[in-house]
Amino acid sequence: MSFQGKIVLITGAAQGIGKQIALDFAREKATTILFDVSEEALEAAAKELSQHSDSHYFIVDVTDPVQIEQAINKIIDKFTKIDILINNAGITRDNLALRLSESDWDKVLDINLKGAFLCSKACARHMVKKRSGKIVNISSIIGIIGNPGQVNYSASKAGLIGLTKSMAKELGSRNICINAVAPGYIQTKMTEVLSQKVKEQMLERIPLKKFGKPEDVSKAVRFLSSEDSDYITGQVIVVDGGMI
Ligand code: NAP
């Protein structure tokens, strides 16, 4: 699979799944553009990616429409287009619903859901003009099955599936495909914090008897970003080792 000549924008790309997605696109010769909030981590990631292909970064908080707009204007000025957008930035602030603060509800919904809406809106405007584009939203199996202690996260990831399906219907006639990937348990900093007991319980529920790696998510993302999926839109691919 080659993405030579493609301009790919990935949010939350300084580490974890987003960085892996960016790295795999770079290995396949795409020009990668990384959005994240930590300059140090962004600079290190972009440097690593530059060994494979052209890579640029912007410090962009995906909840800030002004920062998004300014960065996207610069990208369009330089490259004239954005072919592929991967909405990957996401956080957790776990607590039981009865103890969950309003601010932790808002923060998770703002980054995970509103951030994807704002970035999609800003990119889709340019994709519509080109009559071409792919958007992949990183949801989660928790948005499909729910999870105690994660009402905010689950709602945000379920919301992303609704966003995916609705935007796919709105933009299909403009040849823009919008799909989601719903990972299960993937080994990153986000899941590192779980206790050994929770990890063991989780493993028991995974038919393939192993945790996923960022590469497993990245493969599904690249399929949904490639010509191989040109007749697929509004869908969710679950990458969870058979867990749900
Ligand atoms: P991660 O290692 O924490 O990476 C997420 C990245 O997003 C971080 O670099 C983070 O920066 C960045 N970010 C946070 N807030 C942001 C904002 N407002 N604007 C821009 N970037 C922001 O997490 P991950 O495990 O790779 O997860 C990536 C995505 O996959 C998330 O959407 C997550 O919900 C989803 N997912 C993960 C798993 C899993 O098992 N790991 C499973 C299902 C779905 P800072 O760290 O500096 O805040």
Side-chain angles (χ1 to χ4, degrees), residues 11-18 35-38 60-63 88-91 111-112 138-141 153 157 183-191:
T11 71
Q15 62 176 22
I17 294 171
F35 281 7
D36 209 305
V37 283
S38 153
V60 172
D61 178 338
V62 295
T63 65
N88 166 80
I91 62 160
I111 295 175
N112 298 10
I138 306 300
S139 177
S140 164
I141 56 164
Y153 186 74
K157 295 299 184 178
Y185 183 109
I186 308 296
Q187 283 173 314
T188 68
K189 212 178 90 184
M190 188 180 266
T191 45

Side-chain angles (χ1 to χ4, degrees), residues 228-239:
D228 290 352
S229 62
D230 275 353
Y231 200 55
I232 300 176
T233 195
Q235 302 305 306
V236 184
I237 296 186
V238 173
V239 180

Side-chain angles (χ1 to χ4, degrees), residues 9-26:
L9 168 56
I10 306 114
T11 71
Q15 62 176 22
I17 294 171
K19 184 181 163 196
Q20 186 66 49
I21 292 169
L23 185 60
D24 290 337
F25 271 118

Side-chain angles (χ1 to χ4, degrees), residues 33-240:
I33 295 156
L34 322 182
F35 281 7
D36 209 305
V37 283
S38 153
E39 178 159 29
E40 204 181 324
L42 269 172
E43 199 181 347
K47 198 172 165 197
E48 190 180 336
L49 267 62
S50 297
Q51 294 170 6
H52 304 280
S53 192
D54 192 23
S55 186
H56 305 262
Y57 71 83
F58 292 86
I59 304 161
V60 172
D61 178 338
V62 295
T63 65
D64 184 338
V66 176
Q67 287 182 25
I68 294 169
E69 201 62 42
Q70 284 173 348
I72 287 187
N73 286 343
K74 284 185 189 156
I75 296 165
I76 295 295
D77 283 349
K78 189 169 169 68
F79 300 105
T80 74
K81 61 172 187 168
I82 294 167
D83 296 297
I84 299 162
L85 165 67
I86 315 298
N87 283 309
N88 166 80
I91 62 160
T92 51
R93 291 288 182 274
D94 297 349
N95 216 333
L96 294 171
L98 296 186
R99 293 189 193 138
L100 186 68
S101 68
E102 205 179 319
S103 70
D104 278 347
W105 170 271
D106 287 344
K107 194 147 190 88
V108 168
L109 268 289
D110 270 359
I111 295 175
N112 298 10
L113 183 55
K114 188 176 166 189
F117 160 66
L118 293 173
C119 291
S120 300
K121 189 177 167 187
C123 288
R125 201 175 299 139
H126 300 284
M127 290 174 172
V128 162
K129 286 186 199 149
K130 296 271 178 197
R131 292 287 192 273
S132 166
K134 302 262 191 187
I135 299 177
V136 182
N137 295 318
I138 306 300
S139 177
S140 164
I141 56 164
I142 302 306
I144 302 171
I145 61 168
N147 200 25
Q150 290 200 302
V151 282
N152 49 357
Y153 186 74
S154 176
S156 72
K157 295 299 184 178
L160 261 184
I161 294 174
L163 174 95
T164 301
K165 290 182 180 288
S166 300
M167 277 193 83
K169 289 193 165 139
E170 288 183 11
L171 296 173
S173 64
R174 304 298 188 273
N175 194 33
I176 299 169
C177 295
I178 303 163
N179 292 288
V181 173
Y185 183 109
I186 308 296
Q187 283 173 314
T188 68
K189 212 178 90 184
M190 188 180 266
T191 45
E192 213 174 74
V193 292
L194 298 173
S195 71
Q196 194 55 33
K197 194 170 163 223
V198 170
K199 286 182 188 167
E200 279 163 19
Q201 285 168 348
M202 204 87 86
L203 200 54
E204 289 228 323
R205 292 165 56 198
I206 303 174
L208 288 180
K209 295 294 165 214
K210 56 183 177 186
F211 295 129
K213 295 197 284 290
E215 292 90 321
D216 297 314
V217 179
S218 175
K219 283 178 196 165
V221 167
R222 292 205 306 293
F223 167 65
L224 290 173
S225 305
S226 76
E227 286 174 6
D228 290 352
S229 62
D230 275 353
Y231 200 55
I232 300 176
T233 195
Q235 302 305 306
V236 184
I237 296 186
V238 173
V239 180
D240 71 343

